[in-house]
Short mmCIF file of all heavy atoms in Angstrom, two decimals:
data_model
loop_
_atom_site.label_atom_id
_atom_site.label_comp_id
_atom_site.label_asym_id
_atom_site.label_seq_id
_atom_site.Cartn_x
_atom_site.Cartn_y
_atom_site.Cartn_z
N PRO V 226 -1.47 -41.47 -12.89
CA PRO V 226 -2.61 -41.96 -12.07
C PRO V 226 -2.28 -43.25 -11.42
O PRO V 226 -1.41 -44.08 -11.91
CB PRO V 226 -3.65 -42.27 -13.20
CG PRO V 226 -2.82 -42.46 -14.47
CD PRO V 226 -1.59 -41.60 -14.34
N ASP V 227 -2.86 -43.51 -10.22
CA ASP V 227 -2.43 -44.69 -9.45
C ASP V 227 -3.32 -45.91 -9.72
O ASP V 227 -3.21 -46.96 -9.13
CB ASP V 227 -2.37 -44.39 -7.94
CG ASP V 227 -3.68 -44.05 -7.33
OD1 ASP V 227 -4.83 -44.17 -8.08
OD2 ASP V 227 -3.78 -43.69 -6.21
N GLY V 228 -4.35 -45.75 -10.63
CA GLY V 228 -5.24 -46.85 -10.97
C GLY V 228 -6.29 -47.08 -9.93
O GLY V 228 -7.14 -47.99 -10.10
N ASP V 229 -6.27 -46.32 -8.86
CA ASP V 229 -7.21 -46.47 -7.80
C ASP V 229 -7.98 -45.16 -7.49
O ASP V 229 -8.40 -44.95 -6.37
CB ASP V 229 -6.47 -47.03 -6.58
CG ASP V 229 -7.45 -47.56 -5.52
OD1 ASP V 229 -8.58 -47.98 -5.91
OD2 ASP V 229 -7.13 -47.50 -4.31
N GLY V 230 -8.10 -44.30 -8.54
CA GLY V 230 -8.79 -43.05 -8.35
C GLY V 230 -7.90 -41.92 -7.89
O GLY V 230 -8.33 -40.79 -7.84
N GLY V 231 -6.63 -42.16 -7.58
CA GLY V 231 -5.76 -41.13 -7.02
C GLY V 231 -4.73 -40.85 -8.04
O GLY V 231 -4.64 -41.38 -9.14
N LYS V 258 -5.41 -38.83 -1.62
CA LYS V 258 -5.49 -39.34 -2.99
C LYS V 258 -4.64 -38.55 -3.97
O LYS V 258 -4.59 -38.87 -5.11
CB LYS V 258 -6.98 -39.35 -3.47
CG LYS V 258 -7.81 -40.45 -2.80
CD LYS V 258 -7.50 -41.83 -3.49
CE LYS V 258 -8.59 -42.82 -3.22
NZ LYS V 258 -8.16 -44.17 -3.72
#
Side-chain angles (χ1 to χ4, degrees):
Chain V
D227 66 6
D229 194 27
K258 287 281 199 187

